[in-house]
Every structure is written in C-alpha cells, then in structure tokens.
Amino acid sequence: MCMELQLGLAPPGSDTWSRPLLKLGLYEDINVNSKKRGFDHGYLEDEFSAASFKNYEKGLVGWPPVKTWRRKKLRCQVHNHMTAAENGCCGGRASNSTYVKVKMEGVVIARKIDISIHQSFETLTTTLMTMFDIFDENRRSFKLTYQDKEGDWLIAEDVPWR
Amino acid sequence: MHKKMAFSFPDEVLEHVFSFIQSDKDRNAVSMVCKSWYEIERWCRRKVFVGNCYAVSPRMVIRRFPEFRSIELKGKPHFADFNLVPDGWGGYVFPWIAEMAGAYPWLEEIRLKRMVVTDESLELIAKSFKNFKVLVLSSCEGFSTDGLAAIAASCKNLKELDLRDCEVDDLSAHWLSHFPETYTSLVSLNISCLGSDEVSFSALERLVGRCTNLKTLRLNRAVPLDKIANILRHAPQLVEFGTGTYTADVRPDVYSDLAGAFSSCKELKSLSGFWDVVPDYLPAIYPVCSKLTSLNLSYATIQSPDLIKLVSHCPNLQRLLVLDYIEDSGLEVLASSCKDLQELRVFPSDPFGAEPNVSLTERGLVAVSLGCPKLQSVLYFCRRMSNEALVTIARNRPNFTRFRLCIIEPKTADYLTLEPLDVGFGAIVQYCKDLRRLSLSGLLTDRVFEYIGTYAKKLEMLSVAFAGDSDLGLHHVLSGCESLRKLEIRDCPFGDKALLANAAKLETMRSLWMSSCAVSFAACKLLGQKMPRLNVEVIDERGPPDSRPENCPVDKLYIYRSIAGPRFWIEAFMRNLLGFSSFDLKNECLRHDWSGNIIWRLFKALRARLPYVSPLPELSGTPRNELIKRWKLRLLCNQSKYVGCLSCSHYTSMQLYRQELDQTIHAKVLSKLE
C-alpha cells in the first residue's frame, strides 16, 4: 500500500506548511487510502477509532485527571461519611489498599488489580481480559468469580457492583 | 586570543567557579563552551538530572560524570498518573541502581519520580552506598515495607526518606523499628502514603524523640489524633508536619492536649494530612496558623464555613491545596486574607458526579486572580467557565507561570455564549508572557492552538484533551512553541500530517504523548525509520498493530528523544516473560531488521541494563538448545525474582519467538516456585 505521507525535516519553527494548511479541504489533496476522506468522516467511520470514544459516557479512562491515589483516598473518606459498615478498603485504620489479587485458571502468575478505579463489572472484565491476553471473542467463555469471607467462590456478576 | 584565556586559569580555579553553578541547565551550557570546560565540568558535576530514564543509559551517565553524588531520575510519562500507561510499561530503576552500585560507592542522594522500585533495589541501595543520605520516591511503586526496613537498618547517615504518593505494599508496620537505637540523623520523613493497620507508635515516638534535627514529618492516615500531641511534643522544632487521621470523639482533654502541643511548635510553617477531619478539632491548629506558609487540605472533607474560618487565620499563606468544598465564597475570603498566595490547587470532591455538588465556579478563580498579586501557579477543577472570566483572569494576573484548568465535562463550551473557549485561553497565553506550563480543557477549536503557537513562547509543557479540529492545531503548537519540552495529548483529532511535518521538532523536546488520537501505524513506522534519535513507541492493548490495516490509528503513542537506542527489547521481553499484555516485538521495534543481529543486539541492550547476564556464547553455529542452556537471565523487575531463559535463534516470525519463550519461561518459573 502506497502511503503518500511526507516527512518534513525542516528545522523546527520554519513554517514550511503555512500555505497549504490555510486552504480548506486540505485532506482531499492527500491520496492515502480510498477509505480515508476528510478527517471527520475518516475518523468516526473507522471502526477502530470509534472504539476510543466508546467510553465517552461515564467511565472515561483517566478523566477527569485526578491522580489515582488521590481518588482512592478520597473515595474511602466519602464512604466513611456515608456508611458505617466497610468493605475492607475503608474505615478508620484499615489498610487503604484497594488492590485485589486475580488469578486466571491455567496461568501460573497471579496479577494484582486496583478495584477502586473501576466502576462496573464491564470495565473490570475488560481490564482483566487485556491483562491476561484474552481476545474479545472468548469473553463469554470466561467467568469472573470472587471469594467471599467464608472462602466460598461465587460468581461476581450475581452481586451488584457496590 | 580566546584560547589563551581559556587556558590561563588552572583547572582548580574553573572548578571552583563552576561549583557555584547548581542549575542543571546552566551546567549543561557551561559544558558546551569548549572541550576543556566540558572536561572540567564533567568531573565536578555533583548532581545529575535525567528527565527521562530512557533517554540515556546508566552506563553513559556514569561514563560522563564520574563523580556525582546525587541523581534524579524520572520514568513514566505524566499521563501514567491517570492510568493511561499500562502496567509493565517500564521505568524500572534496578538497572540504574545496579550500575551505580558498582561504580559509585559514595552516592548520597537518589530522587525518583514515576519509577518502578523493587525491594531488591532498595536492598541494593542499603548495601552499596555507605554514605547514603537522601531517598525521595515520588509517585513510585513496586516495593514493600520490607525494602524500607532494609534502608532503615543499614543507612546510618540517612537524612531524608520521602515517599510522596507512592504505592507501597504494607507488609508490616514494624519496618520503622529497623532504625537502630543509635540512629539520630533523620531530618525529613514522609510516610503519608502508607496504609497499615497499625503503625508502631512507640517506635515512631522513639524515633522522633531521638532525631533532634527532624524538620519534616508527614504521618500516614493510620496515626490517630490522640497520638499526635505526644509526637509533636517530642519534636517542637518541626517545620513541616502532616497529621494522620484528624478525627476522634470530641473530648476537651484531647483537644487541649492537641492545642497545647501545636502551640509549642514555634517553627511550624507547613501543615498537611487532615484525613477524616472533625471540624471541632480544627481550632487546635490556630496557634500556628499565623506563621503557616503552606497548607494542604486536599483530603479534608469539611465544608466551606470551616474552611473559611481556617483560611482567615492564615494571612501568610503562600501555598494552598484544598477541595472544591471551599466554594466561590471561600475563595473570595482567601483572596482578601492571603495576599502572599503564590500557588493554589482546588481539587474536585466528586469528580465523577454529573451534577455539581458544590458552588465552585469561575467566580472563585477570578476572585483569587484579582486579590492575590503574587499568584503564579494554579490548578483548578470546576464545572463551568467563560471566555470573559478567562480574559479577566489573564489581565488580572499576567504573572502566571503555571495555569492548569480542568473543566470536568469534556468539550464544555463557554456557559454564557456557548462558544468555544479559544479566546479565553488565547488571552492567558497572550498576557502571561512567562507561562511555562498550561493545561487546556473545555470546548476548543484549532484556533486556540494558533494563539498558543503565536504567543506561548516560553511554554515548556502543554496538556491537551478533547480539543482541536484538525492537524492544523497540532501543527501550530509544534511549529510555534519554541520552548516546548513536553507535550501530552489525549482524545484529539490530530493525525499523521502535523506529526511528520514537524518531525525535527520532536528531537528538541523531551517527549510527546498522544493517546486516542488519529496517528496511523504507518506514520509511526515512517517516523521511527527516519528519525534514529527518536524512540517511537506504540502502545496498543488491542493487540499487535500489524493485525490491523496500517492506516488505522494507534491507541497510544509515546515519542521521546534518546541516545540510548530503543528500549523495547527489554521491556517487551520482560512483559512477555511475565505474561503481560501482548506486545508484538517485531512490530514495536520499528527500526530494526530481523536478519542476523537481533539476538546480539538484544543481548547488548539487556546487558546495559541488567548486569546479571552471563557471558554471550558464540552465536553462529551453536545449537539452539545449547544456547538456551547457557543463557540465564536474572530478571529483577516489579514482580519478583524470576529466572528467565532467553531463547535465541534467527526467528523470522515473532509469534514463534514468543511461543517458545512462553513455554520455556513457564517451565522455569514453575520449577523455581516449587
């Protein structure tokens, strides 16, 4: 596939681009691939870039840009104010670590994942899948389970996220 | 004539002159004057700063600066703070420690930011540097309290142990007791990031009591309020103090104890901590408020009236970190009480809520910019903004050096006119001629980048999200911002054209991060091929980029200049070994061909970073199994001591390589775990 991309090796600051860019319809001049039209079309119709906007509603990764540890510590405190009973990550002197060990059947090495940065089983499962290298098609054949206080293994999705 | 002058001073004189030059930039400038100055300078540089740990190799640094005492290293890109950089990306400090341990027994200071530090690294530090004095770990991870125990036990001259915002595995609270009873040199201790069910209070009190030079003490949340009074009484000389949890049943005796302890601290200038604050206990700090210059209330979930009361007691405040509970009204009070304010950070109490939970708007920021003449640095999270407010702010406060505004909802327009916020940010860059750092948010078109390219001549770091319309935006920034060092972009429609047209610019910058943009894999490859001094790294957790058409946008792109060559060999290799998400080595090493020298290059690169690699056997003609047997790598990274085995041969396909690798590794790991 022939890509007509140009590498500008002019020193930084020299505005070799000034003229072509001020023209509208810039992208019509570029013969990249029949699929790639003006940016708007090309970008949104491309199924792969659509994926990056998938999380636009609640659950954008890393947005707003509040540092992870700050979010964790704040969430623990807000929970403190709201409820007395704790889920292990919050409450007075309890450890404020919200890391949980995850092990996949057949894989020797367990991984650690931070539960507090997820807000749903969807995002948790997606992250786990990438961690353990499972492709999307196989998603259904894997089940997320957790071990409760009594040591019983239960299916995670049966319980609400909280 | 000039040559004579250069030689007319003996080296010692020049060295003495250079010793007054501390700043890194100036030192670099000095070393560029002439060859003899370069030589003299490199022998007497005592502090080395490496802004990107992959821009240069440890060996190169040691070769150039044979006698440094202090090193500062930065690892992951800034967006790692917001979970945009996947686990296993890199930033391992061990190779640096290992190289320095061999070369530098007299190293005194290590400062790290966003790096993966293991217990092994900490143990190696403790063992290797007899005069070790300062360890500052900022936003680091990968270690546990066991590593800290090693430091505590061995570093007799330790002055500073600062773990700011680190992720530490709290295995045992007793690491503090590893400081021997004879140890008294502690000047600064910051353990605010530690969890721990208990902290050994007696060990802490004893430590604080015998370290009479202690100036900075930042406790973690596990230290209860009623223990603070005792600790403060042991250390009335403290200048900076961070409380633990600031909550307890309200009891007059506890209160008066606390108030008394605070009043005995005549030197206190900085306070932080304040987790779980009970407002009734706040007045206990009033005795010290008038001297306070720095106050961090960013964890204090108290409401505006209490915050206002507190802030009004601190007329000398220069730095304030606070939650948006302070509201516009609180900021107005701040503006009238704290005329020395230089830095303000307002964090969101409910960043994911759809509706505002507090009354904090652009008004608060306008008030502070008007009322505080020395204000230069702002980080402000809010939910609405207008061009009018931004223009007013810019006019009020042209002395901003850092302006970071985060309007929580992406692409929020000017709430008054519904227009983009281009003009507002344009005013900021136009009026604030010394602006070094800028973070944009809200609805923004290419126009704002035109303003930035035109006016922001001193801008060094720019953060962009959900902004712009086309490549023109990126082009304005890359071609116009002369001082730009770091550019980080997410979710913007910037593609190949601007990047490739400004490729040379990238070598003048430290790094460029682009995620969820429109840069194609083909462009990445082209850039990698044409620019040998740039590392072009593609991070794509969907899988190998060559499983998709080349014109598909990559998920994440990190480009940085480097004289150390591509690092992907090691990190991708480590990732494969530990079963991290799939990186296709072949596709990520954009500049190497796959014939012949792969393994040799891999070995050399690895050896530069991991000193425990056994000697390389003859490559040609050696049976593969024999090579496998002879190659053992001790990989020390953030998981643990795995023994890995490097399969080597002239593989033409990466899939095959990885499969073989996986099998061998799993076997080795299993045998090690038994």
Side-chain angles (χ1 to χ4, degrees):
Chain A
M1 183 180 21
C2 173
M3 303 278 289
E4 287 178 301
L5 297 166
Q6 285 170 324
L7 190 63
L9 287 175
S14 80
D15 218 11
T16 52
W17 249 31
S18 46
R19 277 208 286 162
L21 280 178
L22 293 176
K23 235 167 50 173
L24 281 175
L26 169 69
Y27 288 95
E28 278 129 42
D29 295 339
I30 313 287
N31 250 341
V32 171
N33 183 293
S34 55
K35 277 199 188 149
K36 193 168 186 178
R37 300 192 285 287
F39 168 75
D40 287 328
H41 289 140
Y43 193 60
L44 291 174
E45 279 177 28
D46 185 343
E47 57 178 314
F48 296 101
S49 30
S52 61
F53 282 113
K54 180 171 63 180
N55 282 325
Y56 191 83
E57 288 78 38
K58 264 217 171 230
L60 264 177
V61 177
W63 190 267
V66 178
K67 289 187 186 172
T68 325
W69 50 266
R70 189 178 279 281
R71 248 190 285 168
K72 251 193 292 181
K73 290 186 178 171
L74 206 56
R75 180 175 288 135
C76 274
Q77 289 196 81
V78 171
H79 279 165
N80 262 344
H81 283 258
M82 301 207 303
T83 59
E86 284 339 270
N87 55 7
C89 90
C90 317
R93 311 222 218 126
S95 154
N96 57 5
S97 163
T98 49
Y99 275 85
V100 162
K101 246 202 179 133
V102 184
K103 199 171 170 310
M104 175 160 125
E105 214 170 82
V107 174
V108 173
I109 301 151
R111 302 292 309 282
K112 257 188 175 182
I113 186 167
D114 184 354
I115 289 259
S116 66
I117 60 168
H118 291 281
Q119 283 102 26
S120 73
F121 286 115
E122 264 294 305
T123 57
L124 179 62
T125 319
T126 314
T127 310
L128 286 173
M129 274 171 43
T130 15
M131 257 187 179
F132 286 102
D133 243 337
I134 310 165
F135 291 116
D136 228 27
E137 309 88 75
N138 297 330
R139 195 187 179 115
R140 312 224 178 283
S141 51
F142 287 90
K143 267 240 167 301
L144 188 64
T145 55
Y146 72 98
Q147 190 174 39
D148 72 359
K149 284 182 251 192
E150 279 123 50
D152 298 320
W153 287 96
L154 305 170
I155 296 190
E157 280 97 353
D158 285 348
V159 202
W161 177 252
R162 288 231 155 263
Chain B
M1 200 38 176
H2 287 296
K3 252 196 206 162
K4 276 201 187 142
M5 281 179 67
F7 289 130
S8 68
F9 290 119
D11 287 1
E12 299 79 51
V13 174
L14 279 172
E15 242 187 71
H16 183 67
V17 172
F18 294 166
S19 68
F20 293 102
I21 301 170
Q22 303 290 342
S23 129
D24 210 60
K25 273 192 195 147
D26 292 340
R27 278 266 173 175
N28 290 342
V30 160
S31 63
M32 304 261 272
V33 167
C34 63
K35 280 205 179 117
S36 64
W37 279 37
Y38 177 91
E39 274 304 306
I40 298 168
E41 194 281 322
R42 78 182 188 90
W43 279 96
C44 68
R45 189 177 303 207
R46 296 282 176 260
K47 287 177 88 141
V48 171
F49 170 75
V50 179
N52 174 3
C53 65
Y54 291 121
V56 69
S57 77
R59 227 163 246 182
M60 287 172 172
V61 173
I62 291 172
R63 220 175 22 226
R64 180 170 171 193
F65 302 114
E67 299 208 345
F68 66 83
R69 299 273 184 281
S70 156
I71 188 163
E72 181 175 349
L73 292 170
K74 295 190 179 181
K76 300 185 196 178
H78 174 236
F79 274 177
D81 287 350
F82 314 126
N83 287 332
L84 286 175
V85 177
D87 252 1
W89 173 87
Y92 304 108
V93 79
F94 186 85
W96 287 84
I97 309 291
E99 287 279 0
M100 293 188 297
Y104 274 14
W106 51 83
L107 188 68
E108 292 178 3
E109 304 182 356
I110 295 177
R111 293 178 169 82
L112 306 175
K113 188 165 188 180
R114 285 191 207 99
M115 295 197 76
V116 179
V117 181
T118 57
D119 285 343
E120 273 105 355
S121 308
L122 294 174
E123 282 154 20
L124 193 54
I125 292 174
K127 211 169 43 177
S128 317
F129 308 120
K130 293 303 163 202
N131 200 25
F132 195 66
K133 293 196 173 123
V134 171
L135 183 65
V136 177
L137 303 179
S138 178
S139 305
C140 295
E141 54 172 354
F143 60 102
S144 76
T145 42
D146 286 352
L148 297 177
I151 298 277
S154 312
C155 299
K156 300 184 180 28
N157 294 315
L158 191 71
K159 286 180 37 189
E160 200 174 322
L161 179 61
D162 186 338
L163 311 170
R164 47 183 89 152
D165 311 333
C166 290
E167 298 270 3
V168 184
D169 256 347
D170 287 318
L171 301 178
S172 150
H174 297 292
W175 69 274
L176 261 179
S177 326
H178 285 253
F179 281 111
E181 290 299 319
T182 48
Y183 169 75
T184 58
S185 39
L186 199 59
V187 172
S188 169
L189 180 66
N190 179 353
I191 51 170
S192 53
C193 62
L194 294 184
S196 268
D197 283 331
E198 320 124 24
V199 161
S200 167
F201 301 128
S202 52
L204 181 61
E205 277 174 21
R206 280 201 312 275
L207 180 65
V208 168
R210 64 180 185 269
C211 294
T212 51
N213 288 321
L214 194 65
K215 295 278 188 297
T216 301
L217 178 64
R218 303 220 190 259
L219 302 171
N220 64 331
R221 198 156 161 215
V223 179
L225 191 58
D226 51 2
K227 295 285 179 191
I228 287 180
N230 251 359
I231 291 174
L232 283 177
R233 259 190 287 272
H234 283 294
Q237 77 284 0
L238 279 179
V239 176
E240 301 182 325
F241 180 64
T243 73
T245 183
Y246 208 76
T247 188
D249 295 330
V250 184
R251 279 167 33 208
D253 54 328
V254 174
Y255 179 90
S256 54
D257 203 21
L258 191 61
F262 270 114
S263 12
S264 68
C265 295
K266 307 286 182 202
E267 313 293 323
L268 217 44
K269 292 223 164 58
S270 163
L271 281 181
S272 62
F274 297 109
W275 283 289
D276 320 304
V277 177
V278 162
D280 293 348
Y281 275 110
L282 274 178
I285 69 170
Y286 287 176
V288 296
C289 280
S290 60
K291 292 221 188 90
L292 282 186
T293 56
S294 168
L295 187 53
N296 183 350
L297 296 168
S298 59
Y299 298 108
T301 49
I302 46 175
Q303 301 306 313
S304 187
D306 295 307
L307 284 167
I308 289 177
K309 255 190 279 184
L310 186 50
V311 152
S312 336
H313 277 84
C314 308
N316 289 312
L317 214 51
Q318 293 171 14
R319 186 167 185 261
L320 177 65
L321 278 65
V322 73
L323 286 170
D324 57 9
Y325 290 129
I326 194 168
E327 301 195 328
D328 291 335
S329 49
L331 290 175
E332 278 155 21
V333 172
L334 183 70
S336 59
S337 329
C338 303
K339 294 303 183 184
D340 277 348
L341 196 68
Q342 294 171 21
E343 180 178 352
L344 173 66
R345 298 192 188 201
V346 180
F347 294 99
S349 52
D350 184 18
F352 300 109
E355 295 303 315
N357 58 326
V358 291
S359 174
L360 180 100
T361 67
E362 80 284 3
R363 271 181 42 222
L365 188 56
V366 172
V368 178
S369 71
L370 186 57
C372 302
K374 299 193 189 161
L375 190 64
Q376 353 164 321
S377 170
V378 148
L379 170 62
Y380 199 77
F381 284 81
C382 62
R383 284 191 157 84
R384 76 173 199 207
M385 188 49 63
S386 67
N387 281 312
E388 186 187 326
L390 281 171
V391 173
T392 310
I393 289 166
R395 287 215 181 104
N396 284 340
R397 206 44 47 227
N399 45 325
F400 273 128
T401 53
R402 288 190 283 279
F403 189 81
R404 296 159 67 191
L405 178 65
C406 178
I407 304 167
I408 289 177
E409 184 63 31
K411 304 202 187 185
T412 303
D414 176 329
Y415 79 98
L416 294 170
T417 64
L418 298 183
E419 283 173 0
L421 290 169
D422 300 335
V423 169
F425 279 106
I428 296 281
V429 292
Q430 194 178 343
Y431 285 96
C432 305
K433 303 211 189 301
D434 290 324
L435 196 67
R436 290 198 313 266
R437 185 169 178 183
L438 176 64
S439 300
L440 305 173
S441 59
L443 181 65
L444 296 165
T445 71
D446 284 346
R447 222 171 133 212
V448 72
F449 299 109
E450 197 180 340
Y451 289 131
I452 292 173
T454 309
Y455 294 110
K457 295 305 181 188
K458 297 237 180 102
L459 193 66
E460 296 177 4
M461 181 169 177
L462 178 64
S463 309
V464 185
F466 304 101
D469 311 308
S470 74
D471 272 41
L472 192 49
L474 181 57
H475 176 68
H476 282 308
V477 172
L478 289 177
S479 58
C481 296
E482 292 159 3
S483 312
L484 196 63
R485 293 189 296 115
K486 289 181 279 184
L487 178 57
E488 47 185 28
I489 302 173
R490 63 164 292 172
D491 293 276
C492 294
F494 300 145
D496 301 341
K497 284 220 82 190
L499 197 59
L500 294 174
N502 291 283
K505 170 74 172 174
L506 299 177
E507 266 191 28
T508 69
M509 294 166 51
R510 183 188 294 173
S511 66
L512 166 65
W513 169 279
M514 291 178 75
S515 58
S516 305
C517 295
V519 180
S520 71
F521 185 53
C524 295
K525 285 206 296 191
L526 184 60
L527 198 58
Q529 279 160 28
K530 299 287 183 184
M531 309 290 294
R533 285 181 306 197
L534 287 183
N535 281 0
V536 179
E537 299 184 357
V538 170
I539 299 168
D540 208 322
E541 290 177 273
R542 296 172 293 182
D546 68 351
S547 60
R548 294 180 287 280
E550 276 203 344
N551 69 329
C552 266
V554 298
D555 185 21
K556 294 169 185 168
L557 174 61
Y558 186 50
I559 302 174
Y560 56 91
R561 64 181 175 189
S562 175
I563 52 173
R567 66 163 189 115
F568 253 108
W569 296 103
I570 288 80
E571 263 64 31
F573 179 63
M574 284 178 168
R575 292 167 67 113
N576 274 321
L577 274 187
L578 299 179
F580 286 123
S581 66
S582 56
F583 250 101
D584 190 321
L585 275 174
K586 174 178 157 212
N587 286 297
E588 300 317 322
C589 286
L590 301 168
R591 293 186 266 125
H592 294 272
D593 59 84
W594 281 92
S595 62
N597 294 323
I598 314 160
I599 303 306
W600 176 243
R601 261 200 282 247
L602 175 56
F603 174 81
K604 277 209 302 190
L606 280 168
R607 197 168 57 164
R609 291 155 174 79
L610 303 168
Y612 297 94
V613 176
S614 57
L616 175 72
E618 278 302 300
L619 263 185
S620 53
T622 314
R624 188 204 297 173
N625 290 338
E626 185 53 43
L627 283 171
I628 289 173
K629 259 194 281 177
R630 285 200 254 162
W631 281 44
K632 279 195 174 37
L633 291 170
R634 190 122 191 272
L635 285 184
L636 297 150
C637 54
N638 71 327
Q639 293 300 315
S640 125
K641 303 189 222 316
Y642 288 118
V643 173
C645 200
L646 179 65
S647 304
C648 47
S649 177
H650 300 319
Y651 293 110
T652 50
S653 154
M654 269 323 297
Q655 312 316 109
L656 189 56
Y657 183 87
R658 205 187 319 138
Q659 259 172 39
E660 289 235 10
L661 210 53
D662 286 349
Q663 282 161 18
T664 335
I665 297 317
H666 284 151
K668 285 283 169 189
V669 166
L670 275 175
S671 67
K672 240 340 180 173
L673 291 176
E674 248 119 68

